[in-house]
Amino acid sequence: MVYATIEKWHHRKRFIIMRYISAEYILPIHIDPIKNGIIAIDDEGVIQKTGKKSDFPSVDIEFFNGVIMPGLINCHCHLELSHMKGLCPTGTQLIPFISNVVKHRDFDQETILAKIKEEDENMFNAGVQAVGDICNKTDTADQKAKSKIRYYSFIEMYDFLNPANLESIVENYRNVFRDQDASQGNKKSFVPHAPYSVSKKLFEFINEANPETATISMHNQETLDENLLFENGTGGFKEFFKGFGVDLSAFKPIGKTSVFYALANMKPKRRNLFVHNTLCTKEDIKAAHDWSENVYWVTCPNANLYIENRMPNYKNFIEREAKMCIGTDSIMSNWTLSIWEELKTIKKMQSYVPLTELLKWSTLNGAQALGFQKSLGSLETGKSPGLINIDLDWQGENTDISHSSPQRII
């Protein structure tokens, strides 16, 4: 059966094929759900109109069970580690996990590229429309250039708090930056790895190298050792860095948690994404919000459980009306790169988090964080956010998503 109809003749003399797509509920995200709503979308994936059935007389409608919503946004991923699936045991904590990343990073290039392609396609099929992706190498560049997913490539820099070799570090990452794709709406910027791995000098380079419109992403407060290093100089990072020939004996703690070091060295006017945040306190969140209105908090619950068997306390963020987003981290630290699975984990482990909030975290908030909100994140006229169908019985906040999964429509 053919559902599409010819709607109009374009000024460039091209037929525009319209599809009229409906479900038991349309979830536009920016407004309340629409029962038996309809989306009019053209053959380039651009929404022309969203409304009720009465707004669309005499059209052929494609109807889906359950709900239809915009494509999902993965704000934190390490696509270049796709070849490492299953190589790290769970529950090791962060420092042993990082050691495993270093140990297993180098595979033959054919395998690396094949796995990058596989996981990129898996994400798209699981409803992911855009990704904030961490890059230490250029391995992902070719796939991003031809992917159906829109990417913001974060060129991640670190010097282990020791700027002695800053010039060579900068030259290396300039090359990575140059080769990462920034066509077809993709973006890129230089970003710091984490407070415990970036010196003030390297922060200065990052601040100067990026335009004011850039998004900056940084791992934050992912493990107790990170806070201990900055609070009193203890924890496991000093011994860990010795393995890389880095001496932190001259390091001076600031007497506060690591996020305060980051805030002192980042630019508040940019969009700043703090990622993981498993140990963030109310005081940490307040300090960040006092510092800037442009702070976004990215949570990767399955990766946090995989590595350290802990999750953030989302009450702290909800009480502060924090702008939350969702990420997956890498397939090395997760069982899947599905954003929907992250939502299911949050509802299972901290079920007080409102479902409507989770849907916003995984769509519109993520699009805003990456600077993609003009085209992604909600079902608004003029946007091309992708459409996914989830076959579930929508009951508002009482909806059970535990056995559901997204199916891509567009």
Side-chain angles (χ1 to χ4, degrees):
M1 183 174 180
V2 178
Y3 294 97
T5 60
I6 297 174
E7 178 72 9
K8 59 183 178 179
W9 185 262
H10 194 270
H11 71 279
R12 291 185 179 177
K13 300 188 183 300
R14 182 182 71 85
F15 280 112
I16 293 182
I17 309 299
M18 298 290 292
R19 296 174 67 184
Y20 299 91
I21 298 173
S22 180
E24 293 161 359
Y25 279 90
I26 301 295
L27 308 181
I29 303 301
H30 68 295
I31 58 175
D32 290 339
I34 305 172
K35 187 174 183 179
N36 296 317
I38 297 177
I39 304 164
I41 192 163
D42 69 22
D43 54 353
E44 292 186 341
V46 179
I47 295 174
Q48 301 298 316
K49 187 177 181 180
T50 300
K52 299 179 180 179
K53 190 173 183 178
S54 59
D55 299 323
F56 299 92
S58 304
V59 297
D60 293 325
I61 297 172
E62 298 177 64
F63 187 84
F64 293 82
N65 294 323
V67 304
I68 291 173
M69 61 181 288
L72 305 166
I73 312 297
N74 184 348
C75 277
H76 185 74
C77 186
H78 295 254
L79 187 62
E80 67 188 29
L81 302 182
S82 294
H83 59 287
M84 298 188 191
K85 184 176 182 178
L87 294 182
C88 274
T90 59
T92 62
Q93 298 193 329
L94 183 64
I95 291 179
F97 177 82
I98 296 174
S99 298
N100 271 313
V101 173
V102 175
K103 178 181 177 182
H104 293 297
R105 195 173 185 101
D106 293 323
F107 270 55
D108 65 278
Q109 196 66 8
E110 183 178 349
T111 297
I112 290 173
L113 297 180
K115 290 299 182 180
I116 286 170
K117 181 177 185 294
E118 179 181 330
E119 292 302 333
D120 169 79
E121 292 174 351
N122 286 343
M123 278 196 287
F124 182 77
N125 292 334
V128 172
Q129 201 72 19
V131 175
D133 187 55
I134 301 298
C135 310
N136 299 116
K137 296 183 175 183
T138 61
D139 294 342
T140 57
D142 287 344
Q143 183 62 30
K144 287 174 182 173
K146 56 190 177 186
S147 176
K148 296 176 182 178
I149 292 174
R150 193 169 177 182
Y151 279 93
Y152 200 125
S153 293
F154 296 123
I155 316 306
E156 184 183 72
M157 307 182 73
Y158 53 86
D159 62 358
F160 296 126
L161 297 172
N162 186 344
N165 298 317
L166 188 60
E167 186 174 332
S168 62
I169 290 170
V170 167
E171 182 61 24
N172 175 61
Y173 285 106
R174 282 191 191 277
N175 292 333
V176 177
F177 183 90
R178 180 197 63 221
D179 291 344
Q180 279 293 342
D181 186 70
S183 63
Q184 306 298 318
N186 291 339
K187 299 182 180 182
K188 56 186 177 181
S189 58
F190 293 101
V191 301
H193 168 251
Y196 59 80
S197 60
V198 179
S199 69
K200 291 178 180 292
K201 288 288 186 181
L202 184 51
F203 266 118
E204 289 173 5
F205 166 80
I206 292 168
N207 289 339
E208 294 171 3
N210 290 309
E212 288 300 315
T213 55
T215 293
I216 307 301
S217 174
M218 185 185 68
H219 297 79
N220 177 66
Q221 290 174 289
E222 191 176 356
T223 183
L224 180 60
D225 292 284
E226 179 178 332
N227 276 341
L228 290 175
L229 177 67
F230 286 91
E231 288 173 330
N232 55 34
T234 62
F237 273 113
K238 285 189 174 181
E239 191 64 30
F240 173 69
F241 285 171
K242 281 185 181 180
F244 294 94
V246 177
D247 181 9
L248 286 187
S249 59
F251 173 80
K252 294 182 180 180
I254 61 173
K256 298 179 180 180
T257 57
S258 63
V259 72
F260 285 87
Y261 172 75
L263 298 179
N265 288 283
M266 297 171 73
K267 285 195 169 185
K269 291 186 178 180
R270 293 188 174 130
R271 291 184 301 273
N272 292 289
L273 278 62
F274 293 98
V275 181
H276 293 302
N277 315 302
T278 51
L279 293 168
C280 262
T281 65
K282 293 180 181 180
E283 292 73 21
D284 295 327
I285 299 166
K286 180 180 184 303
H289 288 183
D290 289 346
W291 171 74
S292 172
E293 297 178 351
N294 302 315
V295 170
Y296 293 83
W297 305 91
V298 183
T299 183
C300 306
N302 281 329
N304 297 153
L305 291 172
Y306 193 107
I307 298 173
E308 292 220 337
N309 199 29
R310 75 170 87 205
M311 289 170 62
N313 182 349
Y314 295 119
K315 285 184 180 179
N316 292 340
F317 297 91
I318 292 171
E319 289 175 2
R320 289 287 179 182
E321 298 182 346
K323 290 180 282 191
M324 300 292 292
C325 310
I326 309 286
T328 61
D329 213 77
S330 74
I331 197 65
M332 186 183 188
S333 59
N334 207 326
W335 298 272
T336 174
L337 298 185
S338 166
I339 289 296
W340 193 253
E341 291 300 316
E342 303 294 331
L343 269 62
K344 289 162 68 173
T345 294
I346 294 174
K347 287 302 291 182
K348 179 179 180 180
M349 305 297 290
Q350 300 190 40
S351 59
Y352 61 85
V353 181
L355 179 58
T356 50
E357 282 296 302
L358 287 178
L359 296 178
K360 188 176 180 181
W361 293 6
S362 63
T363 55
L364 188 55
N365 281 12
Q368 291 171 346
L370 299 180
F372 293 157
Q373 71 275 14
K374 289 184 179 180
S375 58
L376 306 180
S378 58
L379 302 181
E380 299 180 65
T381 299
K383 289 190 175 186
S384 50
L387 299 181
I388 60 174
N389 168 233
I390 304 164
D391 188 2
L392 50 77
D393 181 18
W394 180 256
Q395 299 291 331
E397 290 302 331
N398 294 321
T399 302
D400 179 10
I401 68 171
S402 60
H403 301 293
S404 62
S405 60
Q407 302 296 321
R408 180 171 286 278
I409 301 173
I410 295 175

